Amino acid sequence: MALTIYDISKKAGVSIATVSRVLNGSENVRASTRKKVMDVIEEYDYTPNAFARGMGLHSLKTIGILCADSSDLFLAKAVYLLEQELSSNGYGSLLCCTGYNPDIRKDYVNLILSKKVDGLILVGSNFIGVNEEENLYIRECSSQVPIMLLNASYDCPNVYSTLCDDFSATYEAAEALITAGISDILYLYGSVSYSGEKKRKGFLTAMEAHRVPGYERLICYYEGRTDRLNEIADFVEEIAASGPPFHGVIASDDCLAVGCMKYANRKGLRIPEELSVIGYNNSVLTDCCMPELTSIDNRLETQTHRLVETLIGVLSGEEMPKKSIFSGKLIKRGTTLF
Amino acid sequence: MALTIYDISKKAGVSIATVSRVLNGSENVRASTRKKVMDVIEEYDYTPNAFARGMGLHSLKTIGILCADSSDLFLAKAVYLLEQELSSNGYGSLLCCTGYNPDIRKDYVNLILSKKVDGLILVGSNFIGVNEEENLYIRECSSQVPIMLLNASYDCPNVYSTLCDDFSATYEAAEALITAGISDILYLYGSVSYSGEKKRKGFLTAMEAHRVPGYERLICYYEGRTDRLNEIADFVEEIAASGPPFHGVIASDDCLAVGCMKYANRKGLRIPEELSVIGYNNSVLTDCCMPELTSIDNRLETQTHRLVETLIGVLSGEEMPKKSIFSGKLIKRGTTLF
DNA sequence: TTGTACGCGTTATCAT
DNA sequence: ATGATAACGCGTACAA
């Protein structure tokens, strides 16, 4: 059986209150007493019982991390970085993968909240729907613990957002293609989430600004799983067969972009001479295809760092910015002419 | 302030013991009483305090998941699958990424153990070192909670292993290449872990069995990060420049294999005509390169399912197999001639 | 500076 | 079937 604070207090010849004070770094302990207690603690390798401690402190120093699918390249990296940041701040990470069905999100949130986490991080913009009523569950739970949004934004007390300016990043990517002489651009997206909509609007705003006619017909939504590259290629092949021609592609995700490259490869289209491709997320996939994929970097490391920094601040009772926005960056590689 | 079990018992006009019985699905409650209590619980949306509950049950129904880096393709998928399995068994997942430095592993284990998890899953074979003393920390902590190894094996009470027969899988891959007429094979590996050594031995045993001369010079260890594909390509380029020629590659990881493909691409080598490549893990990377990568599937889904099944059994006090071994499978794609 | 005593919300044990 | 009560291990007023 593990030792309790009572055992330690007895062995050290002090009261449990003193042991507790030593444990929690209180100033009001004589140095000699502290040492006496510390010696016993170390001798017996004593660790306070986490449950009892959680009960007293109303916290186990644990943050809930919710994401749709932690095996997704982008989300996996985000989860990893968050865990690292939290860990170095003394917090544990309770991971929970919800899948992409928005209807059951609420259940997962309640589940993880029932575990008494100190805060909640929602990773990925698919936690924020387009219409208000989808997001009510967030408003509800924000009364219990601070909610941190990564790659999304929602205006609500006790909800903090960290995100990339996906609108501008996509706008600039589209503009770069147009400037390079390519204005028949396929815009391929795979989710209608918060950031997904920002990207799409960035694209169509750029097309409007440059008065590109008929661009709407080349805005296509791919519903399937983004890790099925061949199915993505099939999808693009259908578009190419039935829709207007295109010589550029902007995808809302690197996977979709690589899927396009597979399509091009099947058709013998040369990249970037006959087809320019721009992805999103600047993931490891950008390196593994030939030529290497031009992609938009959303500064995930910067975002996760800031997010956790903000969270720790909130938990310490400090006033923190409700929204932190970073700008994305187009990383130019071999799939574009510029 | 959240309601307590006392509040509920008062409102329902019963004792806290009865409320607790209802909560925990005890049989010894009259149906009418149960309904009465349930109504109050639902009306006030009562949830038991997790800390107090943990204290009573000595468990918060949480499993610790340790892995080196959850953003690694293979590990990320493993973590995801484990979380799903655990979740559907009513367990939460406390994730902790340790990095690849074995010296600090022990600290992480103690840290996560101090959070009172019910069990520990060590994901990836790099938790098991080649010499016994490296693994002592596992022996120590196995007295506290059951330890589950994914993709590794270690003989010790209360430690359970689930793994793929990497030796045979690699042996067969090497044999397949040799049978296809390619016996000058570069074996590229990136870790000296438990499974890493099994793979390597599978390779060299196959080479011995087929009496391939001088194969040792083509067994190469890449020390860098496996997500730096261009650096891998640089590394292979050096080997090609200074070492004996090779017309086949077997890599211990898909990333390394794709790195080789990048090298081939730089040199204008045709795949598979001039260079055959076989990867390991059958990850999404196999699809994103051209041609698609032949790879060894280690049946991760099967493994994670069995691992959690075993863990749940152990936690329920059942007798469970100490070791579950599945056979790998060579998934043939475009980077090999067969 | 140190100790006592209580509260935290459960589950478990023993009566009834 | 139900209730009263004792742990569980720790933090913390409050007292000394």
Side-chain angles (χ1 to χ4, degrees):
Chain A
M1 201 52 206
L3 291 177
T4 74
I5 199 172
Y6 292 95
D7 301 321
I8 302 299
S9 72
K10 240 173 232 160
K11 291 185 199 294
V14 297
S15 77
I16 61 158
T18 301
V19 178
S20 178
R21 274 188 276 263
V22 170
L23 243 33
N24 295 294
S26 163
E27 291 299 308
N28 301 327
V29 176
R30 198 188 305 156
S32 63
T33 313
R34 161 168 284 118
K35 180 169 170 21
K36 194 167 56 179
V37 174
M38 282 302 284
D39 286 348
V40 177
I41 288 178
E42 277 169 24
E43 180 185 350
Y44 293 92
D45 208 20
Y46 165 73
T47 329
N49 179 292
F51 300 139
R53 178 162 242 225
M55 201 149 140
L57 295 172
H58 299 290
S59 157
L60 249 180
K61 298 260 279 178
T62 303
I63 304 296
I65 300 182
L66 257 65
C67 76
D69 172 359
S70 67
S71 74
D72 172 273
L73 276 171
F74 176 70
L75 298 178
K77 186 142 198 180
V79 168
Y80 169 72
L81 292 169
L82 288 170
E83 192 278 336
Q84 295 292 91
E85 294 281 349
L86 289 171
S87 175
S88 60
N89 280 284
Y91 281 84
S93 299
L94 198 61
L95 177 66
C96 183
C97 304
T98 65
Y100 289 98
N101 179 355
D103 301 333
I104 53 174
R105 287 283 159 75
K106 192 186 165 149
D107 301 329
Y108 278 104
V109 168
N110 285 332
L111 182 71
I112 204 160
L113 242 38
S114 77
K115 305 252 183 190
K116 291 281 171 189
V117 293
D118 299 319
L120 214 50
I121 303 178
L122 307 185
V123 184
S125 63
N126 42 50
F127 281 92
I128 301 295
V130 178
N131 35 340
E132 171 62 15
E133 89 185 81
E134 287 182 71
N135 304 324
L136 273 180
Y137 74 102
I138 293 182
R139 199 170 284 277
E140 284 170 23
C141 68
S142 66
S143 59
Q144 302 188 39
V145 293
I147 311 289
M148 312 300 295
L149 265 32
L150 180 61
N151 226 17
S153 177
Y154 184 58
D155 202 13
C156 173
N158 214 22
V159 174
Y160 297 82
S161 310
T162 310
L163 61 158
C164 170
D165 182 355
D166 294 311
F167 176 91
S168 303
T170 315
Y171 184 101
E172 284 157 22
E175 196 160 57
L177 278 182
I178 295 170
T179 305
I182 298 164
S183 59
D184 49 347
I185 305 171
L186 170 65
Y187 181 77
L188 197 59
Y189 66 112
S191 84
V192 287
S193 61
Y194 178 90
S195 88
E197 287 304 282
K198 292 283 181 191
K199 294 175 190 171
R200 193 173 62 81
K201 287 196 178 123
F203 174 76
L204 63 83
T205 305
M207 300 310 267
E208 292 286 353
H210 289 269
R211 307 186 189 288
V212 177
Y215 67 86
E216 300 90 345
R217 286 191 58 202
L218 280 172
I219 296 184
C220 296
Y221 175 54
Y222 172 73
E223 255 195 299
R225 287 176 48 175
T226 51
D227 59 344
R228 301 281 176 81
L229 300 180
N230 277 310
E231 294 176 17
I232 297 168
D234 296 341
F235 181 72
V236 177
E237 202 167 332
E238 281 173 37
I239 296 169
S242 61
F246 54 88
H247 292 87
V249 176
I250 296 179
S252 68
D253 180 293
D254 284 337
C255 288
L256 293 172
V258 175
C260 287
M261 292 177 72
K262 286 192 96 70
Y263 147 78
N265 196 267
R266 286 183 192 170
K267 293 294 169 191
L269 293 174
R270 282 173 303 142
I271 296 175
E273 293 82 0
E274 296 173 88
L275 183 68
S276 294
V277 183
I278 299 180
Y280 215 111
N281 287 348
N282 198 29
S283 66
V284 66
L285 288 193
T286 60
D287 269 0
C288 82
C289 47
M290 313 286 178
E292 292 172 4
L293 178 65
T294 294
S295 183
I296 295 166
D297 187 324
N298 43 17
R299 304 186 192 277
L300 194 50
E301 269 145 287
T302 312
Q303 282 196 57
T304 52
H305 180 78
R306 167 61 69 95
L307 185 149
V308 172
E309 194 175 60
T310 307
L311 174 56
I312 301 298
V314 171
L315 291 175
S316 320
E318 293 171 43
E319 199 63 36
M320 284 290 160
K322 295 278 293 177
K323 201 180 284 201
S324 301
I325 304 178
F326 298 94
S327 54
K329 189 173 184 209
L330 189 64
I331 308 291
K332 295 167 185 172
R333 295 200 183 81
T335 58
T336 44
L337 291 162
F338 39 77
Chain B
M1 200 55 203
L3 292 179
T4 75
I5 199 173
Y6 291 96
D7 302 322
I8 302 300
S9 72
K10 237 173 234 161
K11 291 185 198 297
V14 297
S15 77
I16 60 161
T18 302
V19 178
S20 178
R21 274 188 275 264
V22 170
L23 243 33
N24 295 295
S26 163
E27 292 299 307
N28 300 327
V29 174
R30 198 190 304 156
S32 62
T33 313
R34 161 166 285 117
K35 179 167 171 22
K36 194 168 55 178
V37 174
M38 283 302 284
D39 286 348
V40 177
I41 289 178
E42 276 169 23
E43 181 186 349
Y44 292 93
D45 207 22
Y46 165 74
T47 327
N49 180 292
F51 300 137
R53 181 162 240 225
M55 201 149 142
L57 295 173
H58 298 290
S59 157
L60 247 179
K61 298 263 274 177
T62 303
I63 304 296
I65 300 182
L66 256 64
C67 76
D69 174 359
S70 68
S71 75
D72 172 273
L73 276 172
F74 176 70
L75 298 178
K77 187 143 196 178
V79 168
Y80 170 72
L81 292 169
L82 287 170
E83 193 278 336
Q84 295 291 90
E85 294 280 349
L86 289 170
S87 174
S88 60
N89 280 282
Y91 280 84
S93 300
L94 197 61
L95 176 66
C96 183
C97 303
T98 66
Y100 288 98
N101 179 356
D103 300 334
I104 53 173
R105 286 283 158 74
K106 192 186 163 150
D107 301 330
Y108 278 105
V109 169
N110 285 332
L111 182 71
I112 204 162
L113 242 37
S114 77
K115 305 254 184 188
K116 292 279 171 191
V117 293
D118 299 319
L120 214 50
I121 302 178
L122 307 185
V123 184
S125 63
N126 42 50
F127 282 92
I128 301 295
V130 178
N131 36 340
E132 170 64 15
E133 89 185 79
E134 287 181 72
N135 304 323
L136 273 180
Y137 74 101
I138 293 181
R139 199 170 285 276
E140 284 170 23
C141 67
S142 66
S143 59
Q144 303 190 37
V145 293
I147 311 290
M148 312 300 295
L149 265 31
L150 181 62
N151 226 17
S153 177
Y154 184 58
D155 202 14
C156 173
N158 214 21
V159 174
Y160 297 82
S161 310
T162 310
L163 61 158
C164 170
D165 183 355
D166 294 310
F167 176 91
S168 302
T170 315
Y171 184 101
E172 284 157 22
E175 197 160 56
L177 278 182
I178 294 171
T179 305
I182 298 164
S183 59
D184 48 346
I185 306 171
L186 169 65
Y187 181 77
L188 196 59
Y189 66 111
S191 84
V192 288
S193 62
Y194 178 90
S195 89
E197 287 303 282
K198 292 283 182 193
K199 294 175 191 172
R200 194 173 61 82
K201 286 193 179 126
F203 174 76
L204 62 85
T205 305
M207 301 309 268
E208 293 285 353
H210 288 269
R211 306 186 190 288
V212 176
Y215 67 86
E216 300 91 345
R217 288 190 58 203
L218 280 172
I219 297 184
C220 296
Y221 174 54
Y222 172 73
E223 256 195 297
R225 287 177 48 174
T226 51
D227 60 345
R228 300 283 176 80
L229 300 179
N230 277 310
E231 294 176 16
I232 297 168
D234 296 341
F235 182 72
V236 177
E237 202 168 334
E238 281 173 36
I239 296 169
S242 61
F246 54 89
H247 293 86
V249 176
I250 295 180
S252 68
D253 181 292
D254 284 337
C255 287
L256 292 172
V258 175
C260 286
M261 292 178 71
K262 285 192 95 70
Y263 147 78
N265 197 268
R266 286 183 194 170
K267 292 295 169 190
L269 293 173
R270 281 173 304 143
I271 296 176
E273 294 81 0
E274 297 173 86
L275 183 68
S276 294
V277 183
I278 300 180
Y280 214 111
N281 287 347
N282 198 29
S283 67
V284 65
L285 288 193
T286 60
D287 269 359
C288 83
C289 48
M290 313 287 177
E292 292 173 6
L293 179 65
T294 295
S295 183
I296 296 166
D297 187 325
N298 43 17
R299 303 184 192 278
L300 193 51
E301 268 145 288
T302 312
Q303 283 196 57
T304 52
H305 180 77
R306 168 59 70 94
L307 185 150
V308 172
E309 194 175 58
T310 307
L311 174 56
I312 301 298
V314 170
L315 291 175
S316 321
E318 293 171 43
E319 199 62 36
M320 283 290 159
K322 295 277 294 175
K323 201 180 284 201
S324 301
I325 304 178
F326 298 94
S327 54
K329 188 171 186 213
L330 188 65
I331 309 292
K332 294 167 185 174
R333 296 199 182 82
T335 58
T336 44
L337 291 162
F338 39 76

